[in-house]
Amino acid sequence: MTRKQSAPQVKIGFEETSLRISIDAILPLHEISERVRKSVKYSQIAASIAEVGIIEPPVIVRDRDDRDRFHLLDGHLRIDILKSRGETEVVCLIALDDEAFTYNKRVSRIAIIQEHKMILNAIRKGVSEERLARALNVNIANIRMKRNLLVGICPEAAELLRDKHVPISVFTELRYLKPMRQIEAAQSMITMNRYSTGYARSLVASTPEDQLVEGRERRPRGLTEEQIAVMQRESENLDREFKLVEQSYGADQLDLVQAVGYVNHLLGNARIVRHLAQHHADILTELQKIVDMLEAA
C-alpha cells in the first residue's frame, strides 16, 4: 500500500480582502524626489490615474505595534500622486509578512514591445485610441505608432528585443532589413548594449545589398560603395572583438546584477529599512541613492 501524501500547504501572502485605507495612515519607506516627480514615468502614471483611476492597488503591511498604521511596500508613486490630487483614501492590498513577501516595486519603465502588446490587448477589449492616449499622456499618433510597432519585424527579432528599452525609430530602421539580418542586428544591439537610432542606422548602412528588403534601399547620403564596404568590415570585426571581451566581462556583470538585486531586496524589507533609519541613516541614504538612480534610469 502507498501512503497517501498530503497536499503541500500554500502560504497566503495577503489578507483575503482589500481595504480602503486613509492615506495619512500609510507610512512610505522613502520619499519621492523632485527628479522622479519630473520623470516621464511619473507623468504617465499621473495621467493614467486621472483617466481610469488606480488599476493596481498599492501594497502595504500592518505596523507591528499599531495595527491601525501601515507601511507602504509597493506603490510610492501612486500614493504620492493621489496626495497631490487631494485624495484622502485608497484601496490597498495588505501583505501578511514584510519579510516573506517579495514584491515587484523596483521595476524600471516598461519596454516598448511590452507596451505595444498592452495597447493591442486594450484595443481588442474595446478601449478607444483616444482614451489610451489620455491614459498614457501621449497623442493619438504615438498610440498608432506603438500599435503598428512590429509590422515588418520578424518574430525572432521581436522576441530578442521584447524586454529592451528601444526607441520606436529603431524599428523603422529594422524594417529595411530582411528577417535574418534583423535577427543579426538585434543580436548586435544586445551584445553591444546599444539601442540608439544612430547605431541601428549604422547597422543598416553596413548591411550588404542582398540582405536589404527589395525596393527599400537605405544608404546615408555621401557614402561611396568603398566606404560602405569598409563600414561592413569594421562592423564585423567589432562584433568579433566584442564577443571575445564579453567572455571575461560576463562574470563582472553577473556580480553587479547580484549586488544591485541584493540592495533592492534589502530596501524591500520594512524591518531592515526601519533599523537602518534608526541606527544607520547615512547608509540608508546611500542605498536609497542607488534605488533612485535605477527608478529614474
Side-chain angles (χ1 to χ4, degrees), residues 18 39 85 212 250:
S18 58
S39 67
R85 290 171 53 84
L212 293 172

Side-chain angles (χ1 to χ4, degrees), residues 179-229:
M180 288 303 299
R181 180 56 178 164
Q182 286 183 8
I183 296 171
E184 292 176 357
Q187 290 172 334
S188 294
M189 286 188 282
I190 293 170
T191 300
M192 297 293 291
N193 194 29
R194 294 183 62 186
Y195 304 98
S196 66
T197 304
Y199 184 61
R201 285 173 180 165
S202 71
L203 291 173
V204 174
S206 62
T207 298
E209 293 288 343
D210 60 351
Q211 296 182 43
L212 293 172
V213 174
E214 293 182 6
R216 297 201 66 179
E217 181 178 352
R218 178 65 175 261
R219 294 295 187 213
R221 294 179 180 178
L223 289 183
T224 65
E225 291 299 323
E226 182 178 356
Q227 290 173 322
I228 292 172

